[in-house]
Amino acid sequence: MSPLRSSPSWASGVGTSTVAYTSSGAPATGGTYIWGNTANTDTSVGAMTSGSFASPNNLMAFYVNSNANPISALAISYNAKKYRTNTAAASVQFFYSLNGTTWTAVTAGDIAAATIGTGTSAYTFGTPTTYTVSSFNITGLNITNASNFYLRWNINTTGGNSQAIGIDDVSVTPTFSGVTVNGTIAANEYGVHTNGSNQQSSATGTWYMSSDATNLYIGISGANTAEGAVLYLDRNPITPVNGGTNT
């Protein structure tokens, strides 16, 4: 959790929360909490603000791509749970980052204040109100092997009459970009389809190249099928004697 920051960094976060409360408690002190239901069979991490503990507060998560192929998309879902109703508005905004510092908003992952609503102060540990954010997609990614990505929930609860909100049941499903040998070239199938990266275009067509631990994949689009194509591979290239490059 990272308190008091509208745009925090992963490094600014702190890893502690206060003791979980059940239906026998009525916490009023602002802070980051591990909220629990009455039976203590289900918990979530979140926050409640007060005059001495301001809003917003951010729950952040850190992931590493351990797959050999790049991640091209993420499908994410989660639940927000309300353990205390109160008169101040509450909302959740969702962000992701590729470096833990610069964040991109994804409004499909937000929960509006109108959805959460307000009411007379009451604790709901027995049956916390659940707001489900169904699966939404983040596309156009190229998170390579051993690279990081970060998710952030901005929990916005205002004033001394704060509601108690927790985040739970987070699901993150990656789509890995990899080459399928099927005679077609899908968007970002070879990685970053940009000249100088995984593709190179010329007047005779566009070439694509990618690899995994076993295979080298090459695709060609827009070529004249009446002509042939010759590909030279050198497992140990050297700098050409004419002063050119070996790229």
Side-chain angles (χ1 to χ4, degrees), residues 123-200:
Y123 294 88
T124 58
F125 293 107
T127 54
T129 306
T130 299
Y131 306 93
T132 297
V133 177
S134 301
S135 183
F136 60 93
N137 297 312
I138 302 173
T139 59
L141 303 174
N142 184 42
I143 305 172
T144 57
N145 171 257
S147 294
N148 306 329
F149 65 96
Y150 307 79
L151 307 181
R152 175 166 69 92
W153 291 262
N154 184 74
I155 302 172
N156 201 335
T157 54
T158 55
N161 298 317
S162 172
Q163 304 195 63
I165 305 296
I167 303 299
D168 198 6
D169 307 315
V170 175
S171 173
V172 180
T173 303
T175 296
F176 295 98
S177 61
V179 178
T180 301
V181 183
N182 59 1
T184 63
I185 299 174
N188 297 320
E189 183 176 0
Y190 284 77
V192 180
H193 287 186
T194 303
N195 283 349
S197 294
N198 294 82
Q199 78 169 34
Q200 189 62 47

XYZ file of all heavy atoms in Angstrom, residues 123-200:
583
model
N -21.363 -0.978 9.832
C -20.339 -1.953 9.487
C -20.998 -3.206 8.917
O -22.049 -3.653 9.406
C -19.497 -2.297 10.709
C -18.694 -1.106 11.191
C -19.234 -0.198 12.103
C -17.415 -0.872 10.713
C -18.517 0.906 12.525
C -16.687 0.230 11.124
C -17.238 1.116 12.037
O -16.521 2.212 12.438
N -20.382 -3.765 7.881
C -20.984 -4.880 7.142
C -20.032 -6.071 7.069
O -19.898 -6.704 6.027
C -21.366 -4.433 5.725
O -20.185 -3.932 5.048
C -22.421 -3.336 5.748
N -19.371 -6.381 8.183
C -18.418 -7.478 8.170
C -19.102 -8.829 7.908
O -18.491 -9.736 7.352
C -17.661 -7.534 9.498
C -16.757 -6.356 9.717
C -17.085 -5.367 10.627
C -15.584 -6.236 9.001
C -16.255 -4.276 10.821
C -14.748 -5.150 9.185
C -15.075 -4.160 10.095
N -20.350 -8.975 8.340
C -21.041 -10.237 8.134
C -21.253 -10.542 6.669
O -20.973 -11.647 6.198
N -21.722 -9.561 5.933
C -21.953 -9.718 4.491
C -21.488 -8.452 3.779
O -22.298 -7.588 3.424
C -23.447 -9.953 4.196
O -24.213 -8.891 4.785
C -23.905 -11.295 4.744
N -20.183 -8.291 3.590
C -19.681 -7.086 2.915
C -20.267 -6.977 1.507
O -20.386 -7.973 0.784
C -18.168 -7.298 2.887
C -17.972 -8.765 3.077
C -19.095 -9.230 3.922
N -20.627 -5.764 1.151
C -21.139 -5.526 -0.202
C -20.013 -5.705 -1.206
O -18.926 -5.157 -1.030
C -21.722 -4.111 -0.317
O -22.703 -3.930 0.708
C -22.355 -3.889 -1.677
N -20.274 -6.474 -2.265
C -19.253 -6.783 -3.257
C -19.585 -6.108 -4.578
O -20.720 -6.186 -5.065
C -19.136 -8.300 -3.469
O -18.758 -8.918 -2.232
C -18.087 -8.631 -4.526
N -18.591 -5.459 -5.156
C -18.711 -4.818 -6.466
C -17.755 -5.537 -7.407
O -16.533 -5.460 -7.252
C -18.376 -3.337 -6.378
C -19.180 -2.615 -5.320
C -18.676 -2.456 -4.028
C -20.450 -2.113 -5.603
C -19.415 -1.814 -3.048
C -21.193 -1.471 -4.620
C -20.669 -1.324 -3.348
O -21.406 -0.696 -2.379
N -18.306 -6.240 -8.380
C -17.504 -7.069 -9.282
C -17.122 -6.291 -10.530
O -17.990 -5.726 -11.216
C -18.277 -8.330 -9.681
O -18.526 -9.109 -8.495
C -17.476 -9.169 -10.666
N -15.833 -6.263 -10.812
C -15.337 -5.706 -12.076
C -15.017 -6.886 -12.974
O -14.042 -7.612 -12.755
C -14.095 -4.828 -11.853
C -13.556 -4.328 -13.191
C -14.435 -3.653 -10.952
N -15.880 -7.115 -13.952
C -15.708 -8.257 -14.851
C -14.462 -8.083 -15.699
O -13.899 -6.990 -15.812
C -16.943 -8.409 -15.740
O -18.106 -8.607 -14.955
N -14.048 -9.177 -16.302
C -12.777 -9.202 -17.032
C -12.710 -8.105 -18.097
O -13.620 -7.940 -18.909
C -12.595 -10.565 -17.690
O -11.348 -10.646 -18.353
N -11.637 -7.342 -18.059
C -11.349 -6.333 -19.076
C -9.938 -6.545 -19.582
O -9.101 -7.167 -18.922
C -11.533 -4.910 -18.516
C -10.649 -4.584 -17.342
C -9.418 -3.963 -17.521
C -11.042 -4.899 -16.040
C -8.603 -3.659 -16.440
C -10.236 -4.598 -14.953
C -9.010 -3.989 -15.154
N -9.647 -6.026 -20.772
C -8.389 -6.330 -21.443
C -7.498 -5.101 -21.575
O -7.973 -3.996 -21.823
C -8.656 -6.900 -22.846
C -9.403 -8.211 -22.797
O -9.043 -9.109 -22.034
N -10.457 -8.334 -23.596
N -6.210 -5.333 -21.393
C -5.174 -4.356 -21.716
C -4.385 -4.950 -22.877
O -3.757 -6.003 -22.740
C -4.242 -4.097 -20.523
C -5.043 -3.603 -19.313
C -3.160 -3.085 -20.889
C -4.212 -3.495 -18.047
N -4.427 -4.312 -24.027
C -3.823 -4.865 -25.231
C -2.649 -4.003 -25.698
O -2.360 -2.958 -25.128
C -4.872 -4.975 -26.351
O -5.405 -3.662 -26.626
C -6.022 -5.892 -25.939
N -2.010 -4.459 -26.769
C -0.899 -3.711 -27.353
C 0.367 -3.738 -26.526
O 1.221 -2.856 -26.657
N 0.524 -4.748 -25.676
C 1.696 -4.841 -24.811
C 2.815 -5.635 -25.490
O 2.578 -6.405 -26.426
C 1.318 -5.520 -23.489
C 0.200 -4.865 -22.679
C -0.160 -5.733 -21.481
C 0.618 -3.472 -22.227
N 4.002 -5.479 -24.989
C 5.138 -6.307 -25.407
C 6.061 -6.474 -24.198
O 7.150 -5.914 -24.130
C 5.888 -5.683 -26.581
C 7.002 -6.586 -27.079
O 6.831 -7.801 -27.187
N 8.155 -6.001 -27.393
N 5.588 -7.258 -23.220
C 6.330 -7.474 -21.976
C 7.169 -8.733 -22.155
O 6.657 -9.847 -22.119
C 5.368 -7.623 -20.785
C 4.430 -6.407 -20.705
C 6.148 -7.777 -19.485
C 3.323 -6.547 -19.688
N 8.445 -8.549 -22.382
C 9.315 -9.668 -22.721
C 9.672 -10.500 -21.492
O 9.385 -10.128 -20.357
C 10.598 -9.143 -23.381
O 11.236 -8.205 -22.497
C 10.290 -8.442 -24.697
N 10.303 -11.626 -21.761
C 10.714 -12.530 -20.684
C 11.558 -11.793 -19.654
O 12.449 -11.022 -19.997
C 11.501 -13.702 -21.270
C 12.151 -14.555 -20.205
O 13.358 -14.445 -19.980
N 11.375 -15.371 -19.546
N 11.251 -12.023 -18.360
C 11.954 -11.437 -17.216
C 11.660 -9.951 -17.025
O 12.248 -9.319 -16.139
C 13.457 -11.656 -17.305
N 10.740 -9.386 -17.813
C 10.354 -7.987 -17.627
C 9.188 -7.888 -16.642
O 8.425 -8.829 -16.463
C 9.969 -7.351 -18.961
O 11.096 -7.272 -19.821
N 9.053 -6.718 -16.040
C 8.065 -6.511 -14.988
C 6.847 -5.763 -15.505
O 6.912 -5.021 -16.490
C 8.671 -5.688 -13.846
C 9.962 -6.286 -13.316
O 10.142 -7.498 -13.333
N 10.851 -5.439 -12.835
N 5.732 -5.922 -14.794
C 4.598 -5.023 -14.953
C 3.896 -4.895 -13.606
O 4.054 -5.740 -12.718
C 3.638 -5.463 -16.059
C 2.916 -6.764 -15.812
C 1.642 -6.784 -15.271
C 3.505 -7.970 -16.147
C 0.971 -7.978 -15.065
C 2.834 -9.179 -15.944
C 1.566 -9.176 -15.396
N 3.146 -3.816 -13.449
C 2.578 -3.436 -12.160
C 1.109 -3.057 -12.343
O 0.733 -2.461 -13.364
C 3.322 -2.239 -11.570
C 4.818 -2.418 -11.477
C 5.632 -2.248 -12.603
C 5.435 -2.737 -10.269
C 7.008 -2.412 -12.522
C 6.806 -2.899 -10.185
C 7.591 -2.737 -11.313
O 8.951 -2.894 -11.237
N 0.306 -3.360 -11.340
C -1.099 -2.963 -11.317
C -1.337 -2.105 -10.091
O -0.697 -2.282 -9.055
C -2.015 -4.188 -11.280
C -1.796 -5.248 -12.363
C -2.787 -6.387 -12.203
C -1.878 -4.654 -13.760
N -2.283 -1.163 -10.200
C -2.552 -0.250 -9.081
C -4.043 0.039 -8.973
O -4.703 0.318 -9.978
C -1.780 1.062 -9.261
C -2.091 2.118 -8.210
C -1.065 3.244 -8.222
N -1.104 4.098 -9.373
C -1.814 5.225 -9.462
N -2.577 5.603 -8.447
N -1.772 5.966 -10.547
N -4.539 -0.053 -7.750
C -5.911 0.334 -7.438
C -5.866 1.586 -6.561
O -5.364 1.548 -5.438
C -6.638 -0.782 -6.700
C -6.906 -1.991 -7.533
C -8.067 -2.312 -8.186
C -5.994 -3.078 -7.803
N -7.938 -3.512 -8.841
C -6.676 -4.007 -8.629
C -4.669 -3.350 -7.431
C -6.084 -5.184 -9.077
C -4.069 -4.508 -7.879
C -4.771 -5.415 -8.696
N -6.381 2.688 -7.066
C -6.443 3.942 -6.317
C -7.757 3.958 -5.537
O -8.839 4.140 -6.100
C -6.370 5.122 -7.282
C -6.342 6.455 -6.562
O -5.330 6.837 -5.981
N -7.458 7.175 -6.605
N -7.669 3.722 -4.225
C -8.852 3.666 -3.368
C -9.104 5.065 -2.829
O -8.350 5.576 -2.005
C -8.649 2.661 -2.228
C -8.338 1.268 -2.799
C -9.877 2.602 -1.333
C -7.934 0.252 -1.749
N -10.167 5.674 -3.309
C -10.444 7.076 -3.006
C -11.604 7.157 -2.015
O -12.764 7.014 -2.373
C -10.787 7.818 -4.302
C -10.578 9.310 -4.172
O -10.626 9.848 -3.069
N -10.351 9.962 -5.290
N -11.282 7.337 -0.749
C -12.288 7.515 0.300
C -11.996 8.832 0.999
O -10.866 9.082 1.409
C -12.226 6.374 1.323
O -10.896 6.259 1.824
C -12.611 5.048 0.679
N -12.970 9.673 1.157
C -12.696 11.054 1.560
C -13.230 11.357 2.951
O -14.304 10.896 3.340
C -13.338 12.032 0.565
O -14.730 11.735 0.467
C -12.724 11.897 -0.810
N -12.445 12.142 3.703
C -12.922 12.734 4.947
C -13.028 11.795 6.129
O -12.672 10.621 6.078
N -13.537 12.338 7.220
C -13.668 11.586 8.451
C -14.845 10.629 8.457
O -14.946 9.765 9.331
N -15.773 10.781 7.498
C -16.923 9.879 7.404
C -16.689 8.845 6.313
O -17.553 8.560 5.486
C -18.204 10.671 7.118
C -18.521 11.641 8.233
O -18.410 11.312 9.413
N -18.895 12.861 7.861
N -15.496 8.241 6.341
C -15.037 7.376 5.262
C -15.752 6.030 5.259
O -16.130 5.480 6.289
C -13.532 7.142 5.410
O -13.086 6.164 4.502
N -15.879 5.491 4.053
C -16.282 4.110 3.898
C -15.030 3.228 3.942
O -13.908 3.711 3.762
C -17.051 3.920 2.592
C -18.257 4.847 2.491
C -19.213 4.444 1.401
O -19.793 3.379 1.448
N -19.382 5.319 0.407
N -15.222 1.947 4.201
C -14.105 0.996 4.289
C -14.136 0.096 3.067
O -15.079 -0.677 2.874
C -14.210 0.173 5.563
N -13.106 0.193 2.241
C -13.065 -0.514 0.966
C -11.847 -1.439 0.929
O -10.743 -1.045 1.316
C -13.006 0.473 -0.218
C -14.168 1.465 -0.167
C -12.980 -0.275 -1.550
C -15.534 0.827 -0.312
N -12.045 -2.656 0.426
C -10.947 -3.595 0.231
C -10.976 -4.172 -1.174
O -12.028 -4.217 -1.822
N -9.816 -4.621 -1.641
C -9.686 -5.239 -2.967
C -9.428 -6.727 -2.777
O -8.586 -7.135 -1.971
C -8.542 -4.594 -3.775
C -8.766 -3.083 -3.913
C -8.414 -5.248 -5.149
C -10.022 -2.696 -4.637
N -10.133 -7.558 -3.551
C -10.069 -9.002 -3.354
C -10.287 -9.715 -4.691
O -10.719 -9.104 -5.676
C -11.146 -9.418 -2.345
C -10.903 -10.796 -1.745
O -9.841 -11.387 -2.014
O -11.780 -11.278 -1.006
N -9.970 -11.016 -4.700
C -10.286 -11.910 -5.831
C -9.705 -11.409 -7.146
O -10.364 -11.457 -8.198
C -11.802 -12.079 -5.967
C -12.453 -12.528 -4.673
O -11.915 -13.447 -4.031
O -13.489 -11.947 -4.292
N -8.467 -10.943 -7.114
C -7.828 -10.420 -8.328
C -7.429 -11.581 -9.237
O -6.826 -12.566 -8.798
C -6.586 -9.579 -7.978
C -5.856 -9.128 -9.239
C -6.994 -8.390 -7.120
N -7.765 -11.466 -10.504
C -7.377 -12.455 -11.512
C -6.651 -11.746 -12.644
O -7.155 -10.749 -13.183
C -8.613 -13.180 -12.059
O -8.257 -14.030 -13.142
N -5.468 -12.242 -12.990
C -4.672 -11.674 -14.081
C -4.305 -12.815 -15.031
O -3.606 -13.752 -14.644
C -3.392 -10.994 -13.560
C -2.587 -10.407 -14.727
C -3.735 -9.919 -12.548
N -4.795 -12.745 -16.268
C -4.537 -13.791 -17.256
C -3.786 -13.191 -18.435
O -4.333 -12.323 -19.137
C -5.845 -14.425 -17.745
O -6.571 -14.932 -16.621
C -5.568 -15.559 -18.724
N -2.538 -13.619 -18.688
C -1.774 -13.058 -19.800
C -2.062 -13.778 -21.111
O -2.414 -14.959 -21.127
C -0.321 -13.284 -19.367
C -0.394 -14.555 -18.560
C -1.727 -14.539 -17.864
N -1.923 -13.048 -22.200
C -1.881 -13.628 -23.533
C -0.458 -13.473 -24.043
O 0.083 -12.368 -24.062
C -2.854 -12.920 -24.486
O -4.188 -13.118 -24.017
C -2.740 -13.480 -25.894
N 0.147 -14.584 -24.413
C 1.543 -14.554 -24.864
C 1.583 -14.477 -26.382
O 0.872 -15.205 -27.077
C 2.286 -15.792 -24.377
C 2.405 -15.864 -22.886
C 1.531 -16.629 -22.136
C 3.380 -15.132 -22.219
C 1.623 -16.694 -20.758
C 3.484 -15.185 -20.841
C 2.606 -15.968 -20.109
N 2.404 -13.570 -26.863
C 2.581 -13.468 -28.305
C 3.573 -14.533 -28.735
O 4.645 -14.674 -28.167
C 3.079 -12.074 -28.698
O 4.334 -11.812 -28.098
N 3.188 -15.283 -29.687
C 4.039 -16.334 -30.223
C 3.578 -16.634 -31.626
O 2.444 -16.340 -32.006
N 4.431 -17.208 -32.396
C 4.129 -17.453 -33.803
C 3.386 -18.772 -33.947
O 3.814 -19.805 -33.429
C 5.417 -17.470 -34.627
C 5.107 -17.781 -36.083
C 6.142 -16.134 -34.505
N 2.259 -18.730 -34.622
C 1.521 -19.935 -34.989
C 1.709 -20.162 -36.477
O 1.393 -19.286 -37.295
C 0.022 -19.783 -34.675
O -0.132 -19.523 -33.280
C -0.741 -21.044 -35.039
N 2.230 -21.302 -36.830
C 2.518 -21.603 -38.241
C 1.210 -22.041 -38.900
O 0.853 -23.227 -38.902
C 3.601 -22.682 -38.364
C 3.931 -22.936 -39.842
C 4.846 -22.275 -37.606
N 0.486 -21.061 -39.446
C -0.822 -21.349 -40.037
C -1.070 -20.584 -41.329
O -2.198 -20.544 -41.830
C -1.932 -21.041 -39.039
C -1.919 -19.577 -38.592
O -1.083 -18.792 -39.038
N -2.839 -19.231 -37.705
N -0.045 -19.944 -41.868
C -0.193 -19.245 -43.138
C -0.698 -17.826 -43.027
O -0.876 -17.146 -44.043
N -0.942 -17.340 -41.811
C -1.369 -15.963 -41.616
C -0.451 -15.281 -40.604
O 0.240 -15.945 -39.822
C -2.822 -15.883 -41.107
O -2.900 -16.516 -39.821
C -3.772 -16.584 -42.081
N -0.449 -13.950 -40.620
C 0.356 -13.164 -39.684
C -0.589 -12.253 -38.922
O -1.148 -11.298 -39.471
C 1.433 -12.343 -40.413
C 2.399 -13.274 -41.154
C 2.200 -11.462 -39.421
C 3.403 -12.559 -42.024
N -0.801 -12.559 -37.643
C -1.717 -11.781 -36.811
C -1.010 -10.544 -36.255
O 0.223 -10.451 -36.268
C -2.253 -12.640 -35.667
N -1.801 -9.614 -35.765
C -1.241 -8.396 -35.172
C -0.314 -8.757 -34.013
O -0.692 -9.510 -33.119
C -2.365 -7.480 -34.690
N 0.905 -8.229 -34.056
C 1.924 -8.432 -33.018
C 2.281 -9.902 -32.794
O 2.816 -10.257 -31.747
C 1.466 -7.810 -31.685
C 1.294 -6.313 -31.779
O 2.090 -5.624 -32.401
N 0.235 -5.796 -31.179
N 1.991 -10.749 -33.779
C 2.317 -12.169 -33.623
C 3.822 -12.392 -33.500
O 4.272 -13.291 -32.784
C 1.770 -12.966 -34.816
C 2.004 -14.464 -34.713
C 1.367 -15.236 -35.851
O 0.737 -14.604 -36.729
O 1.507 -16.472 -35.868
N 4.602 -11.554 -34.168
C 6.058 -11.698 -34.130
C 6.705 -10.764 -33.108
O 7.917 -10.652 -33.058
C 6.647 -11.431 -35.516
C 6.441 -12.576 -36.490
C 5.216 -12.786 -37.100
C 7.476 -13.465 -36.775
C 5.010 -13.826 -37.975
C 7.289 -14.514 -37.662
C 6.051 -14.698 -38.251
O 5.865 -15.750 -39.122
N 5.912 -10.100 -32.304
C 6.451 -9.152 -31.335
C 6.030 -7.737 -31.691
O 4.864 -7.477 -31.986
N 6.967 -6.809 -31.688
C 6.682 -5.420 -32.052
C 6.771 -5.287 -33.564
O 7.856 -5.337 -34.140
C 7.676 -4.453 -31.375
C 7.360 -3.014 -31.759
C 7.638 -4.617 -29.872
N 5.638 -5.130 -34.220
C 5.624 -5.024 -35.677
C 5.972 -3.593 -36.087
O 5.138 -2.809 -36.537
C 4.261 -5.440 -36.230
C 4.019 -6.918 -36.168
N 2.923 -7.523 -36.718
C 4.756 -7.923 -35.624
C 2.981 -8.837 -36.511
N 4.085 -9.092 -35.836
N 7.228 -3.245 -35.895
C 7.745 -1.927 -36.247
C 9.082 -2.124 -36.944
O 9.900 -2.943 -36.505
C 7.950 -1.048 -34.997
O 6.708 -0.935 -34.297
C 8.458 0.329 -35.371
N 9.287 -1.384 -38.018
C 10.554 -1.507 -38.731
C 11.730 -1.303 -37.784
O 11.762 -0.358 -37.006
C 10.628 -0.484 -39.870
C 9.809 -0.907 -41.080
O 9.345 -2.046 -41.156
N 9.621 0.002 -42.017
N 12.698 -2.192 -37.864
C 13.854 -2.139 -36.989
C 13.700 -2.979 -35.743
O 14.657 -3.195 -35.013
N 12.467 -3.445 -35.469
C 12.243 -4.324 -34.313
C 12.029 -5.741 -34.827
O 12.978 -6.416 -35.191
C 11.053 -3.834 -33.488
O 11.357 -2.581 -32.897
N 10.768 -6.188 -34.902
C 10.503 -7.533 -35.383
C 10.051 -7.565 -36.835
O 9.610 -8.606 -37.316
C 9.420 -8.208 -34.517
C 9.886 -8.439 -33.104
O 9.845 -7.531 -32.289
N 10.345 -9.636 -32.810
N 10.144 -6.440 -37.534
C 9.756 -6.437 -38.940
C 10.644 -5.471 -39.715
O 11.314 -4.598 -39.147
C 8.296 -6.029 -39.121
C 8.044 -4.534 -39.011
C 6.646 -4.124 -39.444
O 5.696 -4.848 -39.244
N 6.532 -2.943 -40.036
N 10.629 -5.642 -41.035
C 11.292 -4.696 -41.922
C 10.529 -4.677 -43.240
O 10.328 -5.732 -43.859
C 12.752 -5.061 -42.169
C 13.542 -3.984 -42.908
C 13.607 -2.668 -42.119
O 13.896 -2.679 -40.933
N 13.324 -1.565 -42.779
